[in-house]
Amino acid sequence: MASSPVPAHSVGEIGPFARAEFERRIEDARSAMTRYRLDAIVLTSEANIEYLAGFETQFAWNTPSRPWYFVVPRAESPIAIIPEIGETNWLLTSWCQNIVTWPSPRPHDEGISILTQHLGQVARSYGRIGFEIGPESRIGMPVSDVFRLQAAIGGEMVDCTLLMAGLRVLKSAAEVSRIRHICQIAGQAFHDLPSFVNVGDSEREICRKFAADLLLKGADKAPYTSIGSGQGGYDSIIMGPTDRRVAVGDVLMLDTGARYGGYFCDFDRNFSFGRPTDEVRRVNEALWLATEAGIQAARPGRTAADVFKAQATVLSRYGFDVGNVGRFGHGLGKVLTEPPSNAPSDQTVLKPGMVLTIEPSAMFGNGRIMAHEEDLVITEDAANLLTPRADREIVVIA
């Protein structure tokens, strides 16, 4: 039985963020800088520059030739320090019109002298400037330039990753609407998949069809699609497609991280080619119930660890060993995987506005695995699903 189709009224476009959304984000960032005792933050990543500056581009993040900087001082106006080639793109998409450019590529000085100059003019109260150098971050500038900058500006260069993660973890209604929208688009693509996938198709062909359908249905991008297939189960939940051709008796898993309006969905669906075995049905039932338990546990005041425990308890009841599993879901938003982790050690308290994935997995048989995943948002008193809930029984492709 296939998942319920997405209502027709969910199809359409969502307008850009209001200027007030970015003004609130900047003020929240400044308040956080005071708490962290920072005079400014320097952002170089796609997610964080998009979040605070609103800058959207197809170019900047697909080439390592040019770094892009967005500087947010605690007391002065933000400024973009960007390659000259991006000036028009920035002015058309960002609320911040205060920019300085340089003619890039220029390997001996990729904007570092301009950045040094502007950081030298920042009002100093704490002698500390934040950079994205902490957990789950990648700094978007040459490391040699980091050392040059540190020597030139003086003071202390510290991590602002946790500051930015704290800002982004609580989503506004406008952010949630974008995540819900891409979840509904992907849900419809999953619902329609049995109509265009057949026995004998290769994993590559299936992924191409599925990604194309996501784009035609309204996704902006489909940068992540993992796939697994095999007799009675699959052996990985993170691999890309191979040339393997699906056959009767196979279980197929697709997991998509598609984007709309700068925000991701992240969930999967399982399919059986022909009647599933009793073992597959038992594993699927355990995972569906574990997912249900995770959804019910995702409440304000509970912790990410509680969400893990609720899922693990169900799987243990079915005889699955969960001792070596890192986590059963995570935060979701501008990046495919964000804090927190639904893991035994993560005591992050859940709050309204957090968006999570619920993702139990089970190893069984001879190295086989199956997983389920849904996306939800924490509200004042409950967890609201953003994805169309998977059917309790595995979908059969005849």
Side-chain angles (χ1 to χ4, degrees):
M1 183 168 58
S3 302
S4 300
V6 178
H9 62 71
S10 70
V11 177
E13 299 293 332
I14 297 175
F17 287 112
R19 172 68 177 262
E21 176 95 5
F22 293 108
E23 291 174 347
R24 176 191 60 78
R25 294 177 187 181
I26 291 293
E27 289 309 307
D28 288 347
R30 286 176 168 150
S31 295
M33 280 184 252
T34 299
R35 293 195 303 273
Y36 279 79
R37 299 178 59 81
L38 299 178
D39 296 317
I41 55 175
V42 179
L43 304 178
T44 60
S45 69
E46 176 181 12
N48 285 333
I49 289 180
E50 277 191 3
Y51 183 76
L52 286 186
F55 174 55
E56 298 177 9
T57 178
Q58 297 186 67
F59 175 75
W61 318 117
N62 289 308
T63 168
S65 297
R66 303 169 174 90
W68 303 68
Y69 303 104
F70 188 55
V71 181
V72 184
R74 192 175 65 92
E76 294 98 8
S77 298
I79 185 170
I81 300 171
I82 63 173
E84 191 174 69
I85 194 174
E87 181 175 7
T88 299
N89 190 167
W90 186 283
L91 292 174
L92 287 174
T93 61
S94 174
W95 65 268
C96 177
Q97 304 292 283
N98 184 22
I99 66 173
V100 179
T101 68
W102 78 93
S104 182
R106 191 174 64 187
H108 70 280
D109 182 3
E110 287 292 0
I112 201 68
S113 61
I114 302 174
L115 181 60
T116 300
Q117 176 188 350
H118 280 274
L119 290 179
Q121 296 169 355
V122 167
R124 299 295 183 99
S125 296
Y126 307 117
R128 289 155 50 94
I129 294 178
F131 288 79
E132 298 164 282
I133 54 176
E136 300 190 24
S137 68
R138 304 289 188 274
I139 194 162
M141 60 189 291
V143 175
S144 59
D145 281 353
V146 175
F147 296 147
R148 291 170 60 189
L149 186 65
Q150 187 173 30
I153 65 175
E156 189 178 357
M157 182 182 291
V158 300
D159 176 41
C160 69
T161 305
L162 296 180
L163 180 156
M164 289 302 304
L167 296 179
R168 286 176 27 213
V169 73
L170 299 180
K171 274 67 176 180
S172 68
E175 291 179 282
V176 172
S177 71
R178 284 156 176 75
I179 302 173
R180 179 182 289 110
H181 190 71
I182 189 59
C183 285
Q184 296 298 306
I185 288 171
Q188 186 68 64
F190 278 128
H191 174 267
D192 294 345
L193 185 135
S195 69
F196 58 77
V197 167
N198 304 288
V199 169
D201 287 348
S202 71
E203 290 183 347
R204 295 189 196 281
E205 290 167 341
I206 293 170
C207 278
R208 287 170 184 152
K209 292 178 186 179
F210 182 64
D213 197 44
L214 284 167
L215 296 175
L216 289 172
K217 282 179 164 60
D220 291 335
K221 298 179 182 179
Y224 178 78
T225 302
S226 66
I227 186 170
S229 68
Q231 288 286 296
Y234 35 92
D235 55 15
S236 174
I237 60 174
I238 62 168
M239 281 188 60
T242 71
D243 291 325
R244 184 183 185 279
R245 296 191 176 275
V246 296
V248 173
D250 276 359
V251 176
L252 170 72
M253 182 279 301
L254 280 169
D255 185 351
T256 182
R259 282 183 60 175
Y260 177 87
Y263 288 80
F264 276 94
C265 69
D266 179 20
F267 66 110
D268 64 28
R269 291 293 180 260
N270 291 286
F271 304 87
S272 176
F273 286 89
R275 187 178 184 277
T277 65
D278 290 344
E279 182 179 47
V280 167
R281 292 177 62 196
R282 186 182 77 87
V283 177
N284 187 79
E285 173 78 357
L287 290 169
W288 193 93
L289 291 173
T291 303
E292 195 70 13
I295 294 169
Q296 296 304 317
R299 295 287 188 273
R302 305 289 294 275
T303 66
D306 291 333
V307 177
F308 174 90
K309 183 178 179 181
Q311 297 172 78
T313 297
V314 173
L315 294 178
S316 295
R317 190 185 308 144
Y318 274 79
F320 296 108
D321 181 10
V322 297
N324 293 325
V325 177
R327 64 185 182 185
F328 283 159
H330 49 79
L332 175 70
K334 293 197 69 61
V335 178
L336 187 65
T337 60
E338 297 185 349
S341 289
N342 299 333
S345 61
D346 195 325
Q347 297 299 319
T348 300
V349 176
L350 303 184
K351 298 177 181 179
M354 288 184 175
V355 174
L356 301 177
T357 72
I358 306 296
E359 188 181 12
S361 59
M363 298 291 296
F364 63 101
N366 186 22
R368 286 172 293 171
I369 188 171
M370 287 179 62
H372 274 216
E373 190 171 18
E374 303 283 8
D375 302 341
L376 57 79
V377 59
I378 307 295
T379 66
E380 292 295 336
D381 57 1
N384 287 349
L385 277 177
L386 300 173
T387 48
R389 182 72 168 102
D391 288 325
R392 187 161 178 167
E393 295 183 6
I394 191 169
V395 175
V396 174
I397 300 178

